[in-house]
Amino acid sequence: MRKHIVAGNWKMNNNLSETQSLITDLKNQNKTSDAEVMIAPSFTNLWHANESLRTTEIEVVAQNMHFSESGAYTGEVSPEMLKSLGITTVILGHSERRAYYNETDESLARKVDAALKHDMRVIFCFGEELSDRKANNQEAVVESQIKNALFHLEADAFKNIVLAYEPVWAIGTGETASPEQAQEMHAFIRKTLEDKYGSETAENVSILYGGSVKPNNAEEIFSKPDVDGGLIGGASLKAEDFYAIVNAF
Ligand code: 13P
């Protein structure tokens, strides 16, 4: 059975002392749902966060990584560097990485391969822009993002892949996809997986929704049958809000 997952993507927020204080607040929250909980601090705070949360239910994950083993890639972080800290899950393909750092389906396919080679779990993000949705082209865009970056994989690889549908127009804008729009797209994504890999693989992959998920809308979004969790930006920066979302399952 697929898992419920709520992951907080901190993006480029929180220095070391802010990280320490948010972690203290997170440790004081009560989890009443069955969701797996993850947080993704910046690279500089991964070690500290992971050490501080080692004995808790919260998994610390990375926001990005390079596909190479090592070498002349100034400013980059390798899979092995993350593994050496005990980090075994990485977010790949976030729309901000695609938009500002020229990440493409092709480079993301290499990152996915590198993560899987290192026995890491991938949270693979994708989603259409506002112009795509206005042109009613969202399904074709999402389908090609998934196919180009993931469909060279064997079915077995999907045991280590979580999908995150994040419509770009809903990220940080306060505008969420309606629960119906999210369900419609998630069902389409699962059907796309089923057509390629069969129903067992498709049924077992968790598909998260991201884009302005807040305590006041999480429950309705999470109630949809193909929405298996959330990738949370802004609301993950406050422990109470984040746990209100975690506990919305
Ligand atoms: P917001 O929740 O701030 O809209 O961000 C969503 C997101 O990009 C998570 O990766």
Side-chain angles (χ1 to χ4, degrees):
M1 250 326 265
R2 55 187 188 254
K3 295 170 180 160
H4 292 150
I5 298 172
V6 177
N9 176 9
W10 289 8
K11 308 191 179 182
M12 197 174 74
N13 293 294
N14 293 330
N15 63 21
L16 179 58
S17 65
E18 289 160 346
T19 296
Q20 287 168 327
S21 129
L22 181 48
I23 284 175
T24 303
D25 291 348
L26 288 169
K27 283 178 165 174
N28 286 328
Q29 305 300 311
N30 269 335
K31 185 161 83 96
T32 57
S33 79
D34 65 354
E36 264 186 47
V37 183
M38 302 177 190
I39 58 163
S42 64
F43 284 136
T44 55
N45 294 314
L46 279 179
W47 186 83
H48 174 80
N50 202 41
E51 292 301 306
S52 309
L53 292 167
R54 200 175 276 288
T55 58
T56 72
E57 68 206 5
I58 302 175
E59 182 183 352
V60 177
V61 314
Q63 296 178 17
N64 177 38
M65 67 174 201
H66 200 271
F67 47 71
S68 295
E69 299 291 324
S70 63
Y73 299 101
T74 301
E76 290 290 333
V77 169
S78 72
E80 201 276 323
M81 288 171 182
L82 296 175
K83 288 290 297 283
S84 73
L85 302 186
I87 306 295
T88 56
T89 300
V90 61
I91 298 172
L92 294 176
H94 194 280
S95 64
E96 289 147 17
R97 302 280 331 158
R98 293 175 189 258
Y100 308 141
Y101 305 100
N102 303 319
E103 295 206 354
T104 62
D105 293 343
E106 291 67 35
S107 64
L108 288 168
R110 296 181 71 181
K111 290 188 177 201
V112 169
D113 289 347
L116 296 177
K117 182 175 163 210
H118 285 268
D119 293 321
M120 295 180 76
R121 183 157 62 153
V122 173
I123 301 176
F124 182 75
C125 307
F126 52 87
E128 82 282 1
E129 313 231 357
L130 184 58
S131 54
D132 301 319
R133 185 153 283 264
K134 281 190 169 155
N136 201 25
N137 214 15
Q138 63 274 16
E139 290 188 348
V141 169
V142 161
E143 185 176 5
S144 81
Q145 289 171 322
I146 293 174
K147 285 189 170 169
N148 292 339
L150 300 179
F151 273 17
H152 62 287
L153 300 172
E154 303 288 334
D156 208 41
F158 282 82
K159 290 187 178 130
N160 285 318
I161 292 188
V162 172
L163 299 179
Y165 168 59
E166 298 203 302
V168 177
W169 48 270
I171 296 177
T173 58
E175 184 166 348
T176 33
S178 68
E180 292 69 32
Q181 284 173 318
Q183 168 56 27
E184 194 177 22
M185 182 59 89
H186 284 221
F188 171 77
I189 294 162
R190 209 175 297 286
K191 176 77 170 57
T192 304
L193 282 179
E194 187 183 336
D195 290 348
K196 167 83 176 168
Y197 293 104
S199 61
E200 196 185 330
T201 300
E203 284 302 319
N204 284 320
V205 172
S206 297
I207 308 177
L208 316 186
Y209 169 79
S212 298
V213 178
K214 305 289 177 198
N216 65 5
N217 60 21
E219 194 172 340
E220 207 187 343
I221 296 171
F222 293 170
S223 72
K224 295 296 176 191
D226 286 294
V227 178
D228 306 310
L231 188 52
I232 318 302
S236 72
L237 300 174
K238 271 204 183 145
E240 297 76 20
D241 288 354
F242 185 54
Y243 266 74
I245 296 170
V246 168
N247 291 333
F249 270 111

